[in-house]
Amino acid sequence: MTNMREVLPQAAAEPDLPPALQDFAKQRFEGLTGIARPSRKTEAWKYSAKRLNKLEGLQLAGNAGEENAPADLLLGNVQSHQLVLSNGHLPSSLPQIEGVSIKAFSALSEAEAQQVAKGLIATRDDLPFAEINHAGLGEGLYIEVAKNTQVELPIHLLLVHQGEGMSLPRIFVHLQTGSSVSLIESVCAVSASSEQSLCNQVSDFLIEDNAALTYYRVNDDHDQLPQVAATGAQLKRDARFFSHVLSLGCPLGRHDLQVQLLGSGAECDLNGVCVAQDRQHFDHHTCIEHIASHCNSNENYRCIADDKAQIVFNGRIHIHPDAQKTLGEMSNKNLLLSSEAEIDSKPELEIYADDVKCAHGTTIGQLNEKEVYYLKTRGIRKEQARQMLTLGFVLEIVRAAPIAELAERWEQRLSELLSFED
Amino acid sequence: MLSIKNLQAQVEDKQILKGLNLEIKAGEVHAIMGPNGSGKSTLSQVLAGNEAFEVTGGSVRYQDQDLLEMSTEDRAREGLFLAFQYPVEIPGVSNLQFLKTAINNIRQHRGEGEINAAEFMKLAKEKIKQVNLNPSFLKRGVNEGFSGGEKKRNEIMQMLMLEPKLAILDETDSGLDIDALRVVADGVNALRSPERAVIMVTHYQRLLDYIVPDYVHVLSQGRIIKSGGKELALELEEKGYGWLGIDEQAEA
């Protein structure tokens, strides 16, 4: 049986890391031989394994500098504090934001380093590609928002992958009690290749009591970058996590989003929109673990597949025995625009508490011809009617993004993407 | 304006219209009555261009054009409007966006420029008031979560915005309370003019108390079996369809 060591034959020596993280990386690197490479028989990877395994023998990509970052990142007129991570490497100067501490992993105290090693994704052992990120841990970005600090402008992390090879961006965000911040991650590529590049990212968020993180993950791939990402959020008492994921096309994309509701009164909303065309492939796996009582979770993913594209949605809600009075709702709606497109949807509920309200639903359908006809009877061209309906299918979710300028820019981009005009 | 000759149509191999003839001139209001299953809605859908219905014979001329050769959207752009019996709900597309797109398509067809945003809003607000709907409905998805009566009023609102030459109302009065019926009737009456014509397909005579037709036709088994003036509706109300030898059970 083949193992994950083949993907990362050599450890990336990073002597500047604090001891806790050096140990962490070393252990995970040694553990790689014991982790099987995912195959079509690996349930959680069965739709993406074949394509991922084609990416053989990639070297770690070096720091290519910040200069070549593309301009249009679907941000519209959003003002932000921007940080460019080039192939996962940190910029030479980090922004100064009041109440926010932004550091490289190498500058962490031992206590902070231990916190990073205890992140949700850091402690998982069932995500083989995240394991590569752990084992190859080099530079990472650490952001800590001080107690009761409300950061006004969003922090924008621009993850640029340049050239061939594998990049391993690593992010850890710690929101102290009562703080709040919006974080935008956008992934983009310069001269990447669908056969020789891979962006393999891990982000862990620790949200303390009554703190709130609004998270945007945008991906509009013009340059054929395969990518795997795992995002984890741990929520303490009364903490909130609002996630807005926009995945627009990618030759091969996989996003694992995991949430643990650890303290009572915690709440999460996971919104997602995915559009795949041509031969693109996007695989979303989400998992919400209700561990404490009185927590709410709400998940809403809408996907559109056209041409020969494939989209996978696997959403899981796991309600632990102590999570009484849980409210959990999951909805995944899918639209197929072509007879050769494929969507695989799998909602999962696992419930071990008896006093909970939980619902999940999934639909896969085509454009409703009755709706197209109705619009045509009002003089609207067929192509335009189809565009309006397709866009309408995802718009509700796009508009749920609290930053209005961002939602507008996304809507504009989606309407270009979903145009049926020749 | 509209000339229907020997129209035959079927849906899923079932023959519904079996040789229907009807002449409508500008300025006229025609009521088409008949029991369930007589072909009333089929006639409306065939005229609007619903591809689920297959025309198997006959001809329809509309303003000196072959209507059956025209696409659904071109019929609408040439001034034909169908108020649906069961309007669809379209979440995600707002009423405003929908109306604006429709108006601009029609304007473009006429060689006019796009409607000015302020002018459009003024018009939309005025018309929504006219059908007694809350202006907040403009921002909602098309018919999304609307009650039956609200959907019908929204159809009339669209009609008032688009100002059609030939309006076809497919059982717009069904299921309406008297206030909503008045709103619908006022809308249609406001549109009446020497240049326009209206076809009201209805199951009930009640609507005709509010919109007085010039002609009443009785449809049975896919044909018009009797035509007359407005007094025909009253006679039908009094004597029922059985009076004309129609077996209502057999139609349905």
Side-chain angles (χ1 to χ4, degrees), chain A residues 170-321:
Chain A
R170 179 89 188 194
I171 293 143
F172 186 87
V173 181
H174 192 172
L175 274 78
Q176 295 290 1
T177 304
S179 67
S180 71
V181 70
S182 294
L183 184 75
I184 306 171
E185 279 178 4
S186 53
V187 184
C188 62
V190 177
S191 331
S193 121
S194 59
E195 278 100 45
Q196 295 296 326
S197 304
L198 176 67
C199 178
N200 178 359
Q201 178 207 346
V202 169
S203 296
D204 262 327
F205 308 138
L206 176 57
I207 310 170
E208 302 283 357
D209 293 0
N210 209 26
L213 174 61
T214 308
Y215 170 64
Y216 302 87
R217 185 180 160 79
V218 196
N219 164 22
D220 187 13
D221 184 22
H222 299 292
D223 200 31
Q224 298 287 303
L225 174 67
Q227 47 183 292
V228 190
T231 307
Q234 291 174 306
L235 281 73
K236 301 283 185 68
R237 196 186 170 99
D238 301 316
R240 276 102 58 208
F241 176 60
F242 307 113
S243 165
H244 304 270
V245 171
L246 180 70
S247 304
L248 303 181
C250 189
L252 167 57
R254 161 81 179 217
H255 185 219
D256 282 85
L257 177 56
Q258 307 217 348
V259 181
Q260 277 183 346
L261 303 167
L262 296 166
S264 58
E267 185 184 342
C268 75
D269 281 354
L270 310 185
N271 290 315
V273 168
C274 177
V275 177
Q277 297 165 318
D278 305 320
R279 286 180 175 276
Q280 294 170 340
H281 173 98
F282 218 107
D283 183 345
H284 288 98
H285 270 60
T286 68
C287 176
I288 302 169
E289 281 187 87
H290 281 265
I291 293 163
S293 64
H294 294 95
C295 292
N296 294 351
S297 70
N298 203 326
E299 180 168 12
N300 224 325
Y301 269 65
R302 301 266 168 102
C303 308
I304 300 175
D306 200 356
D307 307 315
K308 294 184 175 181
Q310 183 183 27
I311 297 179
V312 181
F313 173 81
N314 192 122
R316 180 160 169 262
I317 301 179
H318 182 159
I319 305 194
H320 291 253

Side-chain angles (χ1 to χ4, degrees), chain B:
Chain B
M1 175 176 275
L2 186 76
S3 169
I4 305 176
K5 292 211 165 79
N6 191 29
L7 183 63
Q8 295 156 49
Q10 64 181 30
V11 58
E12 288 165 0
D13 292 333
K14 192 178 176 215
Q15 197 71 28
I16 310 281
L17 298 182
K18 300 167 183 168
L20 187 142
N21 295 292
L22 187 63
E23 292 288 331
I24 293 175
K25 295 191 182 66
E28 294 176 349
V29 173
H30 290 243
I32 297 180
M33 304 186 70
N36 286 332
S38 58
K40 301 192 301 289
S41 281
T42 301
L43 175 63
S44 308
Q45 294 295 339
V46 165
L47 292 178
N50 189 338
E51 285 165 11
F53 296 83
E54 192 192 344
V55 175
T56 51
S59 69
V60 182
R61 304 284 301 171
Y62 170 65
Q63 293 184 325
D64 291 327
Q65 295 181 75
D66 184 349
L67 184 79
L68 301 177
E69 283 298 308
M70 292 162 74
S71 69
T72 305
E73 52 269 41
D74 277 344
R75 296 179 199 198
R77 291 164 182 182
E78 288 287 337
L80 188 146
F81 180 90
L82 170 65
F84 281 67
Q85 184 180 6
Y86 304 113
V88 294
E89 294 194 19
I90 311 180
V93 176
S94 75
N95 256 319
L96 272 179
Q97 188 203 357
F98 164 59
L99 284 166
K100 199 171 175 184
T101 311
I103 285 180
N104 281 334
N105 266 282
I106 292 169
R107 286 174 73 112
Q108 192 186 15
H109 183 72
R110 292 189 194 140
E112 298 166 14
E114 292 205 345
I115 190 166
N116 163 290
E119 192 190 330
F120 169 76
M121 275 313 292
K122 192 172 159 243
L123 188 69
K125 282 184 180 159
E126 180 192 317
K127 300 300 181 193
I128 201 147
K129 219 169 162 184
Q130 207 173 329
V131 297
N132 214 0
L133 281 176
N134 190 308
S136 67
F137 278 60
L138 287 170
K139 289 190 176 167
R140 282 169 58 177
V142 176
N143 294 320
E144 189 185 0
F146 289 22
S147 71
E150 286 164 350
K151 284 181 185 166
K152 299 287 175 83
R153 280 190 256 175
N154 200 29
E155 294 292 291
I156 297 302
M157 146 91 181
Q158 291 169 33
M159 183 181 82
L160 293 170
M161 291 287 286
L162 302 179
E163 299 186 320
K165 293 190 186 119
L166 174 63
I168 304 165
L169 280 71
D170 188 4
E171 301 210 20
T172 304
D173 55 320
S174 301
L176 291 191
D177 61 34
I178 205 73
D179 290 335
L181 185 68
R182 279 203 188 101
V183 167
V184 167
D186 288 348
V188 174
N189 287 327
L191 205 74
R192 276 179 100 154
S193 82
E195 299 85 47
R196 298 188 219 277
V198 178
I199 300 175
M200 294 184 297
V201 172
T202 180
H203 193 71
Y204 306 104
Q205 185 272 338
R206 188 181 62 160
L207 174 67
L208 310 183
D209 291 343
Y210 296 90
I211 309 170
V212 181
D214 299 301
Y215 299 95
V216 174
H217 310 276
V218 179
L219 192 59
S220 170
Q221 303 211 358
R223 288 190 193 92
I224 287 176
I225 58 160
K226 192 165 178 69
S227 297
K230 58 178 183 282
E231 63 289 345
L232 178 57
L234 295 172
E235 218 168 340
L236 275 174
E237 177 78 356
E238 205 179 304
K239 299 179 182 168
Y241 287 110
W243 161 64
L244 292 169
I246 298 170
D247 179 355
E248 287 202 49
Q249 299 299 325
E251 303 261 344

Side-chain angles (χ1 to χ4, degrees), chain A residues 368 370-371 373-384 388-389 391-393 395-396 399, chain B residues 45 48-50 72-73 76-77 81-82 84 88-90 92-93 98 101-102 105 143 155 158:
Chain A
N368 185 332
K370 282 186 182 155
E371 293 174 11
Y373 167 62
Y374 187 76
L375 296 182
K376 288 199 314 191
T377 65
R378 300 303 183 244
I380 299 171
R381 283 194 320 280
K382 187 180 173 185
E383 295 75 20
Q384 203 176 1
M388 284 170 80
L389 293 172
L391 190 61
F393 182 76
L395 224 44
E396 185 192 332
R399 288 188 178 151
Chain B
Q45 294 295 339
N50 189 338
T72 305
E73 52 269 41
R77 291 164 182 182
F81 180 90
L82 170 65
F84 281 67
V88 294
E89 294 194 19
I90 311 180
V93 176
F98 164 59
T101 311
N105 266 282
N143 294 320
E155 294 292 291
Q158 291 169 33

Side-chain angles (χ1 to χ4, degrees), chain A residues 15-193:
Chain A
D16 295 338
L17 287 178
L21 287 177
Q22 284 199 33
D23 292 348
F24 169 82
K26 198 171 159 223
Q27 276 177 19
R28 304 306 273 258
F29 180 75
E30 282 163 7
L32 284 182
T33 47
I35 295 175
R37 284 185 80 165
S39 74
R40 270 185 301 177
K41 289 178 185 161
T42 319
E43 177 64 21
W45 293 84
K46 66 179 179 186
Y47 297 108
S48 304
K50 197 175 153 199
R51 290 176 190 236
L52 273 168
N53 287 337
K54 277 188 188 160
L55 299 163
E56 286 284 353
L58 298 184
Q59 302 292 313
L60 287 182
N63 189 347
E66 300 146 48
E67 299 76 32
N68 298 321
D72 180 31
L73 301 153
L74 298 189
L75 286 193
N77 300 319
V78 178
Q79 298 287 310
S80 68
H81 303 286
Q82 194 182 74
L83 271 105
V84 181
L85 272 69
S86 167
N87 287 342
H89 296 268
L90 269 52
S92 44
S93 76
L94 297 168
Q96 303 286 320
I97 308 169
E98 208 186 324
V100 183
S101 156
I102 301 181
K103 302 192 259 196
F105 279 7
S106 53
L108 297 184
S109 70
E110 190 59 17
E112 288 164 337
Q114 280 170 11
Q115 200 72 263
V116 171
K118 283 192 290 190
L120 176 52
I121 301 300
T123 49
R124 295 310 284 240
D125 57 4
D126 54 349
L127 297 166
F129 282 86
E131 211 60 36
I132 297 292
N133 188 300
H134 302 330
L137 188 67
E139 272 192 89
L141 180 70
Y142 178 92
I143 300 176
E144 182 177 345
V145 183
K147 190 175 172 183
N148 293 334
T149 300
Q150 321 301 319
V151 185
E152 213 162 289
L153 289 183
I155 298 176
H156 175 215
L157 306 181
L158 171 54
L159 310 177
V160 191
H161 182 101
Q162 305 200 48
E164 297 186 343
M166 176 164 57
S167 64
L168 301 172
R170 179 89 188 194
I171 293 143
F172 186 87
V173 181
H174 192 172
L175 274 78
Q176 295 290 1
T177 304
S179 67
S180 71
V181 70
S182 294
L183 184 75
I184 306 171
E185 279 178 4
S186 53
V187 184
C188 62
V190 177
S191 331
S193 121

